[in-house]
Amino acid sequence: MRIAKGLRLAVALGLLATGAAACGGGSGSGGSGGKVELTLLSHYSDGPSKEGLDKMIQEWNKENPKIQVKSQVVKFDDLLTTMTVRQTGGRGADIVSAYGLWGGQLMKANVVAKVPDDIATKIKAEYSPAALGAVTTGGTLLGYPTELNTYVLFYNKKILAAAGISKPPSTWAELADAAKKTVKRDANGNIQVEGLSLIQDGDNKSVHPFLSLLDSAGGKFLAPDGTAQFDDAAGKAALKFEADLAAAKATNPSIMPTKQFRSGGVAMAIQAGWWIGSLKNQMKDKYSDVGVAAIPGPTPGSKGSLAYGFFMGVNQRSKHADEAWKFLTWMNEHKTPDGKVTETGKWLADQGLIPPRTADQEEYKKSLSDPNLAPIYEAATYAMAEPNQPGAYEAKTALHNAIMGVLADGKNPDDALAQAAKAVKPQ
């Protein structure tokens, strides 16, 4: 799932911080004969994501006539706003599906309930570190991890081969060299093939690729208390790497890889794993030209990635929290008929996403039909989890503005990072 529009998110987070904490939530109801109806709000509004969730809910409802679950769906771009408005109006869903980055603000606004100790213990033992990190705020687990995405290096094999490059870059020096060799410009200097894209589709488009490079250099985004850490030596090196490519005109933030990679307009791009499914659909037979590798670091053997995730938690004001946790536990633990993976793991894998449960990941890694998935799964073992404490979204926006100032306007990387770090305000 690609992440969404910034301004709307910022407004929703502000409303959440100022309004939701004082208001009620939890729309579940007790019916006749002791029957309970739970509501589940998510962004799984169409296609395999909706079909898979609906299938599990129908199975649960059939087996549990006294605890019925009703799905409520909205588009992802509307999810946080819907969650905020309904919570403020006392109509919050009993179970919410949310982007991990929102977790700190949702916790601060008393939207998500504490995970019961026995369930939290099992989750911490059975899910991958990247998945747990993406849905944990200040040591507090927010719910069951669901979607998990990691960042990797996508490359066009034919473009690299035409430039005399026989294997994907394994260091920053090789990555820069490949970007400079593959970039092509017309007589007026306009880029026809971008060497390396450092932009992703969606919200704060420059941050996730930068954080992946930062991770490869051993740097950190934020400290646990929310203070900036990205302006250290590792951060300065990562942004200088990007600045040098921009100065060499081997990267250009005005070129959107999600539109131009498929037609050969981009040689390499740092992108999230969900892109695999889109490229297969868009490129058809030409998908065989696509390769995927780990994002290299500054030294041989170093590599980095960013992991971001989603979770399902229980509304702190749900009148039926016990029943909601019972459903979520069943949903995340019951197995497929062959007993090899969980139904939730299969539901996510069928969408091209990484199942967050370690056992599911290991099972799927045994039989990956697409070798490009292997680096994406592998990145879940070492990726930096996206911080999600209160204020993380605002810090991300400040960092994005700094990166764009360097890539688009040629600002000094050290000065830009210092300015962004100064703008980060722990909450």
Side-chain angles (χ1 to χ4, degrees):
M1 176 60 63
R2 67 187 69 183
I3 53 181
K5 307 298 184 292
L7 179 59
R8 186 181 299 179
L9 283 177
V11 171
L13 286 170
L15 286 173
L16 197 59
T18 57
C23 302
S27 62
S29 63
S32 60
K35 182 178 175 181
V36 169
E37 182 177 278
L38 302 172
T39 50
L40 190 163
L41 176 65
S42 79
H43 59 292
Y44 303 116
S45 58
D46 55 28
S49 62
K50 182 179 188 303
E51 294 165 5
L53 181 59
D54 285 350
K55 179 175 177 289
M56 287 190 283
I57 290 175
Q58 288 167 6
E59 184 179 348
W60 165 270
N61 286 345
K62 184 177 180 181
E63 296 176 1
N64 298 271
K66 289 187 175 298
I67 306 175
Q68 297 290 285
V69 178
K70 182 180 180 182
S71 177
Q72 300 175 335
V73 295
V74 296
K75 297 289 187 183
F76 177 71
D77 286 356
D78 299 323
L79 180 58
L80 184 58
T81 302
T82 301
M83 197 182 302
T84 303
V85 171
R86 291 183 182 178
Q87 189 78 1
T88 303
R91 298 179 290 109
D94 297 282
I95 301 169
V96 294
S97 174
Y99 176 26
L101 181 65
W102 307 338
Q105 211 67 51
L106 293 173
M107 189 173 70
K108 185 179 178 182
N110 297 318
V111 175
V112 290
K114 179 179 182 293
V115 181
D117 290 343
D118 58 330
I119 296 175
T121 298
K122 291 194 68 175
I123 292 174
K124 291 176 182 176
E126 297 175 1
Y127 284 72
S128 71
L132 290 171
V135 301
T136 300
T137 297
T140 300
L141 184 67
L142 301 168
Y144 274 97
T146 52
E147 295 180 45
L148 175 65
N149 267 294
T150 58
Y151 275 77
V152 289
L153 179 69
F154 287 79
Y155 60 95
N156 186 306
K157 298 174 187 175
K158 283 190 172 180
I159 294 177
L160 262 62
I165 302 167
S166 59
K167 60 182 179 63
S170 59
T171 64
W172 281 3
E174 291 184 6
L175 185 59
D177 182 62
K180 293 171 184 174
K181 286 181 176 176
T182 52
V183 68
K184 289 184 178 178
R185 288 180 283 272
D186 63 19
N188 296 319
N190 300 313
I191 291 181
Q192 294 180 311
V193 178
E194 184 183 24
L196 172 63
S197 170
L198 297 168
I199 297 298
Q200 60 153 16
D201 191 15
D203 169 67
N204 281 331
K205 59 185 182 180
S206 67
V207 176
H208 285 185
F210 171 78
L211 292 181
S212 299
L213 292 169
L214 178 67
D215 182 50
S216 77
K220 301 293 182 187
F221 178 25
L222 300 174
D225 66 357
T227 56
Q229 290 195 318
F230 52 77
D231 59 333
D232 64 0
K236 291 175 181 176
L239 193 52
K240 183 178 186 302
F241 171 79
E242 295 195 2
D244 289 346
L245 288 178
K249 298 184 179 180
T251 188
N252 188 323
S254 69
I255 297 174
M256 190 53 66
T258 48
K259 295 180 179 177
Q260 300 194 40
F261 183 92
R262 61 192 184 215
S263 59
V266 175
M268 301 179 290
I270 295 176
Q271 284 285 333
W274 63 261
W275 205 25
I276 285 275
S278 297
L279 291 177
K280 285 181 177 177
N281 288 333
Q282 294 164 352
M283 298 179 72
K284 307 299 181 187
D285 293 345
K286 289 187 176 181
Y287 176 74
S288 60
D289 295 341
V290 178
V292 174
I295 298 167
T299 57
S302 59
K303 57 188 176 183
S305 179
L306 180 78
Y308 69 89
F310 285 69
F311 69 91
M312 283 196 186
V314 173
N315 192 317
Q316 192 172 105
R317 291 177 175 78
S318 171
K319 299 171 184 174
H320 305 290
D322 289 345
E323 289 86 353
W325 283 117
K326 186 175 181 181
F327 166 73
L328 282 179
T329 300
W330 172 88
M331 176 183 161
N332 286 278
E333 292 190 357
H334 83 285
K335 298 287 190 66
T336 54
D338 63 9
K340 292 184 176 179
V341 296
T342 63
E343 285 279 7
T344 292
K346 181 178 185 303
W347 169 54
L348 296 168
D350 286 348
Q351 300 174 59
L353 301 168
I354 304 173
R357 185 182 289 268
T358 304
D360 288 345
Q361 287 180 19
E362 294 303 318
E363 185 63 32
Y364 276 104
K365 284 166 69 175
K366 293 177 184 175
S367 56
L368 292 176
S369 58
D370 182 350
N372 283 340
L373 289 171
I376 295 170
Y377 273 69
E378 180 63 23
T381 65
Y382 60 82
M384 174 204 299
E386 183 175 36
N388 57 11
Q389 59 265 62
Y393 182 80
E394 291 81 356
K396 192 175 173 185
T397 301
L399 181 57
H400 166 68
N401 293 336
I403 297 169
M404 292 304 290
V406 171
L407 296 181
D409 302 327
K411 290 185 177 178
N412 178 278
D414 291 2
D415 293 344
L417 283 181
Q419 185 175 0
K422 190 176 180 180
V424 173
K425 307 294 184 187
Q427 299 181 16

PDB file of all heavy atoms in Angstrom, residues 59-82:
ATOM      1  N   GLU A  59     -16.207 -16.188   7.552  1.00  0.00           N
ATOM      2  CA  GLU A  59     -15.906 -17.458   8.222  1.00  0.00           C
ATOM      3  C   GLU A  59     -16.076 -17.316   9.736  1.00  0.00           C
ATOM      4  O   GLU A  59     -16.658 -18.177  10.392  1.00  0.00           O
ATOM      5  CB  GLU A  59     -14.477 -17.892   7.882  1.00  0.00           C
ATOM      6  CG  GLU A  59     -14.110 -19.251   8.455  1.00  0.00           C
ATOM      7  CD  GLU A  59     -12.694 -19.667   8.071  1.00  0.00           C
ATOM      8  OE1 GLU A  59     -12.101 -19.017   7.190  1.00  0.00           O
ATOM      9  OE2 GLU A  59     -12.186 -20.641   8.671  1.00  0.00           O
ATOM     10  N   TRP A  60     -15.547 -16.192  10.272  1.00  0.00           N
ATOM     11  CA  TRP A  60     -15.701 -15.944  11.715  1.00  0.00           C
ATOM     12  C   TRP A  60     -17.178 -15.827  12.094  1.00  0.00           C
ATOM     13  O   TRP A  60     -17.629 -16.431  13.064  1.00  0.00           O
ATOM     14  CB  TRP A  60     -14.958 -14.668  12.104  1.00  0.00           C
ATOM     15  CG  TRP A  60     -15.353 -14.164  13.464  1.00  0.00           C
ATOM     16  CD1 TRP A  60     -16.359 -13.281  13.743  1.00  0.00           C
ATOM     17  CD2 TRP A  60     -14.798 -14.538  14.736  1.00  0.00           C
ATOM     18  NE1 TRP A  60     -16.454 -13.065  15.102  1.00  0.00           N
ATOM     19  CE2 TRP A  60     -15.507 -13.822  15.732  1.00  0.00           C
ATOM     20  CE3 TRP A  60     -13.780 -15.394  15.117  1.00  0.00           C
ATOM     21  CZ2 TRP A  60     -15.208 -13.956  17.087  1.00  0.00           C
ATOM     22  CZ3 TRP A  60     -13.482 -15.519  16.486  1.00  0.00           C
ATOM     23  CH2 TRP A  60     -14.190 -14.810  17.434  1.00  0.00           C
ATOM     24  N   ASN A  61     -17.928 -15.043  11.334  1.00  0.00           N
ATOM     25  CA  ASN A  61     -19.341 -14.830  11.659  1.00  0.00           C
ATOM     26  C   ASN A  61     -20.138 -16.130  11.630  1.00  0.00           C
ATOM     27  O   ASN A  61     -21.055 -16.341  12.429  1.00  0.00           O
ATOM     28  CB  ASN A  61     -19.954 -13.816  10.688  1.00  0.00           C
ATOM     29  CG  ASN A  61     -19.505 -12.393  10.974  1.00  0.00           C
ATOM     30  OD1 ASN A  61     -18.976 -12.109  12.043  1.00  0.00           O
ATOM     31  ND2 ASN A  61     -19.696 -11.498  10.019  1.00  0.00           N
ATOM     32  N   LYS A  62     -19.767 -17.021  10.732  1.00  0.00           N
ATOM     33  CA  LYS A  62     -20.460 -18.306  10.641  1.00  0.00           C
ATOM     34  C   LYS A  62     -20.174 -19.173  11.859  1.00  0.00           C
ATOM     35  O   LYS A  62     -21.058 -19.872  12.364  1.00  0.00           O
ATOM     36  CB  LYS A  62     -20.017 -19.036   9.361  1.00  0.00           C
ATOM     37  CG  LYS A  62     -20.743 -20.346   9.114  1.00  0.00           C
ATOM     38  CD  LYS A  62     -20.300 -20.964   7.800  1.00  0.00           C
ATOM     39  CE  LYS A  62     -21.029 -22.290   7.558  1.00  0.00           C
ATOM     40  NZ  LYS A  62     -20.589 -22.920   6.276  1.00  0.00           N
ATOM     41  N   GLU A  63     -18.939 -19.108  12.343  1.00  0.00           N
ATOM     42  CA  GLU A  63     -18.536 -19.951  13.477  1.00  0.00           C
ATOM     43  C   GLU A  63     -18.859 -19.314  14.822  1.00  0.00           C
ATOM     44  O   GLU A  63     -18.812 -19.996  15.847  1.00  0.00           O
ATOM     45  CB  GLU A  63     -17.029 -20.223  13.401  1.00  0.00           C
ATOM     46  CG  GLU A  63     -16.610 -21.028  12.185  1.00  0.00           C
ATOM     47  CD  GLU A  63     -15.098 -21.200  12.089  1.00  0.00           C
ATOM     48  OE1 GLU A  63     -14.397 -20.704  12.996  1.00  0.00           O
ATOM     49  OE2 GLU A  63     -14.639 -21.805  11.119  1.00  0.00           O
ATOM     50  N   ASN A  64     -19.156 -18.004  14.824  1.00  0.00           N
ATOM     51  CA  ASN A  64     -19.370 -17.293  16.092  1.00  0.00           C
ATOM     52  C   ASN A  64     -20.645 -16.447  16.015  1.00  0.00           C
ATOM     53  O   ASN A  64     -20.579 -15.214  15.922  1.00  0.00           O
ATOM     54  CB  ASN A  64     -18.171 -16.407  16.416  1.00  0.00           C
ATOM     55  CG  ASN A  64     -16.895 -17.185  16.596  1.00  0.00           C
ATOM     56  OD1 ASN A  64     -16.574 -17.624  17.703  1.00  0.00           O
ATOM     57  ND2 ASN A  64     -16.159 -17.381  15.512  1.00  0.00           N
ATOM     58  N   PRO A  65     -21.794 -17.096  16.069  1.00  0.00           N
ATOM     59  CA  PRO A  65     -23.055 -16.352  15.882  1.00  0.00           C
ATOM     60  C   PRO A  65     -23.307 -15.286  16.942  1.00  0.00           C
ATOM     61  O   PRO A  65     -24.069 -14.351  16.689  1.00  0.00           O
ATOM     62  CB  PRO A  65     -24.105 -17.470  15.939  1.00  0.00           C
ATOM     63  CG  PRO A  65     -23.439 -18.612  16.622  1.00  0.00           C
ATOM     64  CD  PRO A  65     -22.006 -18.543  16.240  1.00  0.00           C
ATOM     65  N   LYS A  66     -22.674 -15.396  18.112  1.00  0.00           N
ATOM     66  CA  LYS A  66     -22.915 -14.402  19.158  1.00  0.00           C
ATOM     67  C   LYS A  66     -21.941 -13.220  19.098  1.00  0.00           C
ATOM     68  O   LYS A  66     -22.078 -12.251  19.844  1.00  0.00           O
ATOM     69  CB  LYS A  66     -22.840 -15.067  20.544  1.00  0.00           C
ATOM     70  CG  LYS A  66     -24.018 -15.987  20.832  1.00  0.00           C
ATOM     71  CD  LYS A  66     -23.979 -16.468  22.259  1.00  0.00           C
ATOM     72  CE  LYS A  66     -25.213 -17.285  22.599  1.00  0.00           C
ATOM     73  NZ  LYS A  66     -26.480 -16.503  22.475  1.00  0.00           N
ATOM     74  N   ILE A  67     -20.934 -13.301  18.246  1.00  0.00           N
ATOM     75  CA  ILE A  67     -20.010 -12.171  18.049  1.00  0.00           C
ATOM     76  C   ILE A  67     -19.877 -11.946  16.548  1.00  0.00           C
ATOM     77  O   ILE A  67     -19.113 -12.635  15.874  1.00  0.00           O
ATOM     78  CB  ILE A  67     -18.617 -12.441  18.658  1.00  0.00           C
ATOM     79  CG1 ILE A  67     -18.732 -12.834  20.127  1.00  0.00           C
ATOM     80  CG2 ILE A  67     -17.731 -11.200  18.517  1.00  0.00           C
ATOM     81  CD1 ILE A  67     -17.402 -13.229  20.760  1.00  0.00           C
ATOM     82  N   GLN A  68     -20.631 -11.025  16.045  1.00  0.00           N
ATOM     83  CA  GLN A  68     -20.627 -10.747  14.608  1.00  0.00           C
ATOM     84  C   GLN A  68     -19.750  -9.528  14.291  1.00  0.00           C
ATOM     85  O   GLN A  68     -19.771  -8.527  15.016  1.00  0.00           O
ATOM     86  CB  GLN A  68     -22.047 -10.505  14.112  1.00  0.00           C
ATOM     87  CG  GLN A  68     -22.955 -11.730  14.267  1.00  0.00           C
ATOM     88  CD  GLN A  68     -22.562 -12.841  13.292  1.00  0.00           C
ATOM     89  OE1 GLN A  68     -22.828 -12.760  12.094  1.00  0.00           O
ATOM     90  NE2 GLN A  68     -21.917 -13.895  13.812  1.00  0.00           N
ATOM     91  N   VAL A  69     -18.991  -9.627  13.220  1.00  0.00           N
ATOM     92  CA  VAL A  69     -18.106  -8.541  12.804  1.00  0.00           C
ATOM     93  C   VAL A  69     -18.642  -7.920  11.519  1.00  0.00           C
ATOM     94  O   VAL A  69     -18.987  -8.634  10.572  1.00  0.00           O
ATOM     95  CB  VAL A  69     -16.666  -9.049  12.577  1.00  0.00           C
ATOM     96  CG1 VAL A  69     -15.768  -7.902  12.096  1.00  0.00           C
ATOM     97  CG2 VAL A  69     -16.109  -9.648  13.856  1.00  0.00           C
ATOM     98  N   LYS A  70     -18.715  -6.597  11.511  1.00  0.00           N
ATOM     99  CA  LYS A  70     -19.192  -5.862  10.335  1.00  0.00           C
ATOM    100  C   LYS A  70     -18.059  -4.993   9.800  1.00  0.00           C
ATOM    101  O   LYS A  70     -17.490  -4.185  10.529  1.00  0.00           O
ATOM    102  CB  LYS A  70     -20.385  -4.984  10.715  1.00  0.00           C
ATOM    103  CG  LYS A  70     -20.972  -4.209   9.545  1.00  0.00           C
ATOM    104  CD  LYS A  70     -22.165  -3.365  10.008  1.00  0.00           C
ATOM    105  CE  LYS A  70     -22.773  -2.578   8.855  1.00  0.00           C
ATOM    106  NZ  LYS A  70     -23.905  -1.734   9.332  1.00  0.00           N
ATOM    107  N   SER A  71     -17.736  -5.182   8.532  1.00  0.00           N
ATOM    108  CA  SER A  71     -16.640  -4.432   7.915  1.00  0.00           C
ATOM    109  C   SER A  71     -17.105  -3.060   7.446  1.00  0.00           C
ATOM    110  O   SER A  71     -18.172  -2.924   6.839  1.00  0.00           O
ATOM    111  CB  SER A  71     -16.086  -5.226   6.716  1.00  0.00           C
ATOM    112  OG  SER A  71     -15.065  -4.499   6.065  1.00  0.00           O
ATOM    113  N   GLN A  72     -16.300  -2.040   7.757  1.00  0.00           N
ATOM    114  CA  GLN A  72     -16.522  -0.686   7.240  1.00  0.00           C
ATOM    115  C   GLN A  72     -15.270  -0.307   6.461  1.00  0.00           C
ATOM    116  O   GLN A  72     -14.164  -0.374   7.009  1.00  0.00           O
ATOM    117  CB  GLN A  72     -16.749   0.301   8.385  1.00  0.00           C
ATOM    118  CG  GLN A  72     -17.952  -0.020   9.266  1.00  0.00           C
ATOM    119  CD  GLN A  72     -18.065   0.921  10.468  1.00  0.00           C
ATOM    120  OE1 GLN A  72     -17.070   1.493  10.907  1.00  0.00           O
ATOM    121  NE2 GLN A  72     -19.267   1.066  10.997  1.00  0.00           N
ATOM    122  N   VAL A  73     -15.420   0.085   5.200  1.00  0.00           N
ATOM    123  CA  VAL A  73     -14.230   0.359   4.386  1.00  0.00           C
ATOM    124  C   VAL A  73     -14.291   1.753   3.779  1.00  0.00           C
ATOM    125  O   VAL A  73     -15.357   2.244   3.424  1.00  0.00           O
ATOM    126  CB  VAL A  73     -14.058  -0.686   3.256  1.00  0.00           C
ATOM    127  CG1 VAL A  73     -13.801  -2.056   3.846  1.00  0.00           C
ATOM    128  CG2 VAL A  73     -15.273  -0.724   2.351  1.00  0.00           C
ATOM    129  N   VAL A  74     -13.122   2.383   3.684  1.00  0.00           N
ATOM    130  CA  VAL A  74     -12.963   3.668   3.000  1.00  0.00           C
ATOM    131  C   VAL A  74     -11.661   3.604   2.210  1.00  0.00           C
ATOM    132  O   VAL A  74     -10.819   2.736   2.450  1.00  0.00           O
ATOM    133  CB  VAL A  74     -12.915   4.857   3.990  1.00  0.00           C
ATOM    134  CG1 VAL A  74     -14.220   4.995   4.739  1.00  0.00           C
ATOM    135  CG2 VAL A  74     -11.751   4.703   4.964  1.00  0.00           C
ATOM    136  N   LYS A  75     -11.481   4.516   1.276  1.00  0.00           N
ATOM    137  CA  LYS A  75     -10.212   4.606   0.562  1.00  0.00           C
ATOM    138  C   LYS A  75      -9.109   5.004   1.532  1.00  0.00           C
ATOM    139  O   LYS A  75      -9.358   5.721   2.499  1.00  0.00           O
ATOM    140  CB  LYS A  75     -10.301   5.639  -0.563  1.00  0.00           C
ATOM    141  CG  LYS A  75     -11.313   5.310  -1.654  1.00  0.00           C
ATOM    142  CD  LYS A  75     -10.856   4.141  -2.507  1.00  0.00           C
ATOM    143  CE  LYS A  75     -11.803   3.935  -3.694  1.00  0.00           C
ATOM    144  NZ  LYS A  75     -11.400   2.752  -4.505  1.00  0.00           N
ATOM    145  N   PHE A  76      -7.876   4.555   1.244  1.00  0.00           N
ATOM    146  CA  PHE A  76      -6.788   4.847   2.168  1.00  0.00           C
ATOM    147  C   PHE A  76      -6.628   6.348   2.409  1.00  0.00           C
ATOM    148  O   PHE A  76      -6.376   6.782   3.536  1.00  0.00           O
ATOM    149  CB  PHE A  76      -5.468   4.260   1.668  1.00  0.00           C
ATOM    150  CG  PHE A  76      -4.313   4.601   2.565  1.00  0.00           C
ATOM    151  CD1 PHE A  76      -4.183   4.030   3.812  1.00  0.00           C
ATOM    152  CD2 PHE A  76      -3.373   5.543   2.173  1.00  0.00           C
ATOM    153  CE1 PHE A  76      -3.139   4.361   4.663  1.00  0.00           C
ATOM    154  CE2 PHE A  76      -2.324   5.886   3.004  1.00  0.00           C
ATOM    155  CZ  PHE A  76      -2.208   5.296   4.254  1.00  0.00           C
ATOM    156  N   ASP A  77      -6.771   7.137   1.352  1.00  0.00           N
ATOM    157  CA  ASP A  77      -6.605   8.582   1.505  1.00  0.00           C
ATOM    158  C   ASP A  77      -7.623   9.188   2.470  1.00  0.00           C
ATOM    159  O   ASP A  77      -7.425  10.291   2.977  1.00  0.00           O
ATOM    160  CB  ASP A  77      -6.719   9.285   0.143  1.00  0.00           C
ATOM    161  CG  ASP A  77      -5.488   9.059  -0.717  1.00  0.00           C
ATOM    162  OD1 ASP A  77      -4.531   8.428  -0.223  1.00  0.00           O
ATOM    163  OD2 ASP A  77      -5.481   9.508  -1.879  1.00  0.00           O
ATOM    164  N   ASP A  78      -8.723   8.474   2.706  1.00  0.00           N
ATOM    165  CA  ASP A  78      -9.776   8.986   3.595  1.00  0.00           C
ATOM    166  C   ASP A  78      -9.761   8.301   4.964  1.00  0.00           C
ATOM    167  O   ASP A  78     -10.596   8.629   5.823  1.00  0.00           O
ATOM    168  CB  ASP A  78     -11.161   8.773   2.952  1.00  0.00           C
ATOM    169  CG  ASP A  78     -11.302   9.514   1.626  1.00  0.00           C
ATOM    170  OD1 ASP A  78     -10.772  10.629   1.545  1.00  0.00           O
ATOM    171  OD2 ASP A  78     -11.917   8.968   0.698  1.00  0.00           O
ATOM    172  N   LEU A  79      -8.844   7.350   5.159  1.00  0.00           N
ATOM    173  CA  LEU A  79      -8.919   6.517   6.365  1.00  0.00           C
ATOM    174  C   LEU A  79      -8.702   7.316   7.649  1.00  0.00           C
ATOM    175  O   LEU A  79      -9.500   7.230   8.583  1.00  0.00           O
ATOM    176  CB  LEU A  79      -7.894   5.383   6.269  1.00  0.00           C
ATOM    177  CG  LEU A  79      -7.858   4.416   7.462  1.00  0.00           C
ATOM    178  CD1 LEU A  79      -9.212   3.753   7.680  1.00  0.00           C
ATOM    179  CD2 LEU A  79      -6.768   3.356   7.245  1.00  0.00           C
ATOM    180  N   LEU A  80      -7.640   8.094   7.709  1.00  0.00           N
ATOM    181  CA  LEU A  80      -7.354   8.796   8.950  1.00  0.00           C
ATOM    182  C   LEU A  80      -8.410   9.853   9.248  1.00  0.00           C
ATOM    183  O   LEU A  80      -8.833  10.027  10.387  1.00  0.00           O
ATOM    184  CB  LEU A  80      -5.969   9.443   8.902  1.00  0.00           C
ATOM    185  CG  LEU A  80      -5.528  10.125  10.198  1.00  0.00           C
ATOM    186  CD1 LEU A  80      -5.513   9.148  11.368  1.00  0.00           C
ATOM    187  CD2 LEU A  80      -4.154  10.762  10.038  1.00  0.00           C
ATOM    188  N   THR A  81      -8.852  10.552   8.198  1.00  0.00           N
ATOM    189  CA  THR A  81      -9.900  11.551   8.407  1.00  0.00           C
ATOM    190  C   THR A  81     -11.181  10.898   8.910  1.00  0.00           C
ATOM    191  O   THR A  81     -11.822  11.389   9.850  1.00  0.00           O
ATOM    192  CB  THR A  81     -10.183  12.304   7.093  1.00  0.00           C
ATOM    193  OG1 THR A  81      -8.974  12.921   6.640  1.00  0.00           O
ATOM    194  CG2 THR A  81     -11.238  13.374   7.298  1.00  0.00           C
ATOM    195  N   THR A  82     -11.547   9.768   8.299  1.00  0.00           N
ATOM    196  CA  THR A  82     -12.761   9.062   8.734  1.00  0.00           C
ATOM    197  C   THR A  82     -12.620   8.601  10.175  1.00  0.00           C
ATOM    198  O   THR A  82     -13.547   8.763  10.999  1.00  0.00           O
ATOM    199  CB  THR A  82     -13.001   7.846   7.821  1.00  0.00           C
ATOM    200  OG1 THR A  82     -13.137   8.287   6.478  1.00  0.00           O
ATOM    201  CG2 THR A  82     -14.261   7.093   8.242  1.00  0.00           C
TER     202      THR A  82
END
